[in-house]
Amino acid sequence: MTYDVEHFISEVRAKTGHQPEFHQALSEVFHSLQPCLDRFPKYRHNAVLERLVEPDRMIIFRVGWIDDKGDYQVNRGFRIQFNNAIGAYKGGLRFHPTVYLGLLKFLAFEQIFKNALTTLPMGGAKGGSDFDPKGKSDNEVMRFCQSFMIELVRHIGPDTDVPAGDIGVGGREIGYLFGQYKRLANEFTGTMTGKGFGWGGSLIRPEATGYGLTYFTEEMLATRGESIEGKTCTVSGSGNVAQYTVERVNEFGGKCITLSDSGGTILDRDGIDAEKLAYVMELKNERRGRIAEYAAQFPGSEYFEGKRPWGIPCDCALPCATQNEIDLDDAKALVANGCTLVAEGANMPTQPDAVDYFLANNILYGPGKAANAGGVAVSGLEMAQNAQHISWTREEVDNRLRQIMQTIHNNVRFTAAEYGSPDNYVLGANIAGFTKVANAMIAQGIV
Ligand code: NDP
């Protein structure tokens, strides 16, 4: 007896209400699992899918704080502890006005399989708030983070749940969150990752997702006897992941020609070199400005208001902004313009019909749960260093990161080949991540 995946998903949909991103992620994962579910009836016998779709715990709480004018503000806080079959819960916090339960359930669900692929012992979680740090003063962000942590503290711990950053949660927010955690819990442990170096952080953690994406891209290209050197890349976003992707692609001899934010896209045909990237980092991380300012700063570059980068010809497309940012029309434009590789720095940036289009057109397509796993992998290395009270050198962490990305790549391809489609990274990533978690769940009994 096996699963009727279509029927199963429709039942979950009916039970969970309007959570389109979560249902999209379920559909993407479960459809590609079908050959594995058919091959191993034990997953059906042990009701693994039924248990997998139900988070272990969903925590929702009010976050009250006082703004600079002295007015009371209220936001909603979340932590989804989805699955801890292979390790303590681990996953980022997102602060963005679009955050709601369904979005975080999608991210936490994806995180289960991503973390399983890293080879490190980490379960899947995600959290955050509909709080928007944009336009807030440092003091307002601090007061919000402190209030958020007053509730979160009772649910997390170094062997229970270890949050990190995501959209809207960078070094500043992690600092405020950890400061309050430390004070309330009366302990200095590795309960948050992404901490500053010098107070428990790991070298290479800020760079890890972008560097890891670049390493994964290099591995994918190598399967066709190619490399990043000489390739033109379009990158979306201009935050943490986008910035360090551009840095590493440049170092590998590639040329990144775009960046974006929710306002629009800049195009610099000469390439965003190290000096221009330093400007972007100062603009986005210090001044918290808009990417449109790039075009005014660098003559010859252009700004396209309200546009995404996917209409611009490139060899490789590296989406690093947000979910569902590549639709079918974008996919068609990329393929028509000669793009041969899409590797995801963001989580689920490609819509399902666009994924199908890439696969049907022999594009090397690296899904986020494999291609952007470098961030959580180095978070896992930060936890390992914290537990031992030591710090590794930059080279040591970077070498481990590169090895992990190579291992993920090989595992994904090996698994995909076992099921007859070596180039299908979606199939390989989903089945490899799933079998590790599902086998652990079966071994641990019905809990
Ligand atoms: P940041 O907050 O540093 O940057 C996010 C970037 O994406 C900004 O340029 C932002 O523009 C843009 N963006 C956000 N929402 C939208 C939107 N709705 N439409 C268009 N642009 C948008 O986040 P990160 O770089 O950390 O995260 C980017 C992606 O990478 C996310 O999908 C995240 O889940 C994923 N990821 C991050 C990891 C990490 O280690 N940080 C690890 C693995 C995945 P604006 O400033 O206008 O909002």
Side-chain angles (χ1 to χ4, degrees):
M1 188 171 59
T2 186
Y3 277 104
D4 175 349
V5 162
E6 200 54 57
H7 178 68
F8 180 78
I9 293 170
S10 70
E11 282 188 338
V12 177
R13 209 176 260 135
K15 216 163 121 182
T16 45
H18 187 71
Q19 300 181 348
E21 298 87 356
F22 177 53
H23 300 149
Q24 183 182 333
L26 283 188
S27 173
E28 187 257 337
V29 172
F30 288 168
H31 278 113
S32 63
L33 291 182
Q34 188 78 64
C36 170
L37 299 170
D38 293 347
R39 193 183 285 185
F40 298 106
K42 66 178 175 178
Y43 297 128
R44 178 78 189 84
H45 291 151
N46 286 279
V48 169
L49 296 197
E50 287 82 347
R51 291 153 64 195
L52 248 185
V53 297
E54 211 55 67
D56 291 352
R57 205 167 291 104
M58 294 186 278
I59 301 143
I60 305 181
F61 50 98
R62 183 183 66 246
V63 187
W65 56 282
I66 304 289
D67 67 20
D68 285 348
K69 292 193 286 239
D71 292 333
Y72 193 87
Q73 300 290 336
V74 183
N75 287 97
R76 191 172 286 177
F78 301 87
R79 187 70 179 165
I80 315 297
Q81 297 178 334
F82 219 121
N83 186 296
N84 66 353
I86 64 165
Y89 302 109
K90 180 91 196 90
L93 297 171
R94 178 175 292 193
F95 291 170
H96 194 272
T98 55
V99 164
Y100 79 105
L101 185 65
L103 186 79
L104 294 179
K105 279 179 72 182
F106 128 61
L107 289 163
F109 181 73
E110 287 282 294
Q111 197 81 42
I112 301 169
F113 308 106
K114 181 190 306 193
N115 292 1
L117 289 173
T118 63
T119 72
L120 304 172
M122 298 182 289
K126 202 83 186 186
S129 173
D130 58 357
F131 172 76
D132 188 357
K134 258 190 239 130
K136 306 285 190 304
S137 70
D138 287 353
N139 277 333
E140 288 176 321
V141 171
M142 181 175 70
R143 286 196 292 274
F144 172 81
C145 288
Q146 291 180 337
S147 181
F148 183 87
M149 186 53 78
I150 283 176
E151 174 61 34
L152 191 68
V153 66
R154 70 187 90 212
H155 307 289
I156 62 176
D159 298 313
T160 307
D161 183 353
V162 181
D166 189 74
I167 290 178
V169 179
R172 173 183 62 170
E173 290 75 16
I174 293 289
Y176 296 148
L177 289 163
F178 181 73
Q180 183 76 332
Y181 173 82
K182 186 182 58 125
R183 182 183 186 202
L184 295 170
N186 194 25
E187 62 175 36
F188 196 116
T189 52
T191 296
M192 309 247 357
T193 59
K195 301 184 291 297
F197 185 68
W199 46 278
S202 174
L203 290 166
I204 302 285
R205 177 59 189 91
E207 296 89 339
T209 309
Y211 281 16
L213 175 66
T214 312
Y215 299 152
F216 197 85
T217 300
E218 190 76 340
E219 294 297 319
M220 292 174 80
L221 288 168
T223 64
R224 295 194 178 166
E226 296 178 30
S227 72
I228 290 174
E229 189 169 7
K231 296 272 188 303
T232 298
C233 304
T234 47
V235 178
S236 66
S238 48
N240 172 272
V241 180
Q243 292 170 14
Y244 289 106
T245 298
V246 172
E247 182 171 291
R248 219 25 155 204
V249 167
N250 283 344
E251 285 161 9
F252 276 28
K255 182 163 83 168
C256 296
I257 57 170
T258 65
L259 284 171
S260 70
D261 61 20
S262 48
T265 293
I266 60 102
L267 167 63
D268 186 340
R269 291 187 196 281
D270 295 332
I272 301 159
D273 61 19
E275 190 189 323
K276 293 169 180 171
L277 180 61
Y279 167 83
V280 172
M281 288 180 168
E282 196 269 329
L283 171 72
K284 299 301 284 190
N285 309 347
E286 308 299 329
R287 283 196 283 130
R288 304 191 187 272
R290 309 305 299 156
I291 201 65
E293 295 173 50
Y294 183 105
Q297 179 76 13
F298 298 108
S301 61
E302 297 168 78
Y303 177 64
F304 301 101
E305 174 113 25
K307 293 269 188 254
R308 298 183 293 220
W310 315 126
I312 296 164
C314 65
D315 302 310
C316 305
L318 305 171
C320 297
T322 193
Q323 64 278 353
N324 289 327
E325 53 166 316
I326 298 180
D327 63 20
L328 182 59
D329 288 340
D330 295 323
K332 287 181 177 169
L334 282 163
V335 173
N337 285 331
C339 173
T340 60
L341 176 144
V342 179
E344 298 180 340
N347 285 310
M348 207 171 72
T350 312
Q351 296 181 15
D353 48 3
V355 173
D356 292 343
Y357 192 79
F358 289 144
L359 294 177
N361 283 276
N362 200 28
I363 301 298
L364 279 169
Y365 167 70
K369 65 171 70 67
N372 71 35
V376 74
V378 174
S379 277
L381 300 181
E382 182 172 330
M383 289 164 70
Q385 293 169 78
N386 290 164
Q388 296 172 79
H389 303 282
I390 57 170
S391 302
W392 294 329
T393 63
R394 217 181 144 75
E395 291 67 35
E396 173 141 23
V397 180
D398 197 22
N399 287 339
R400 285 177 188 256
L401 170 62
R402 187 142 196 190
Q403 271 169 21
I404 288 171
M405 297 314 294
Q406 285 168 343
T407 304
I408 295 172
H409 179 267
N410 294 344
N411 184 16
V412 167
R413 277 192 75 88
F414 177 81
T415 307
E418 269 196 326
Y419 285 85
S421 310
D423 274 344
N424 189 335
Y425 288 79
V426 177
L427 188 82
N430 285 333
I431 294 181
F434 168 78
T435 49
K436 183 170 177 186
V437 174
N439 292 343
M441 288 170 71
I442 292 172
Q444 291 167 27
I446 305 282
V447 288

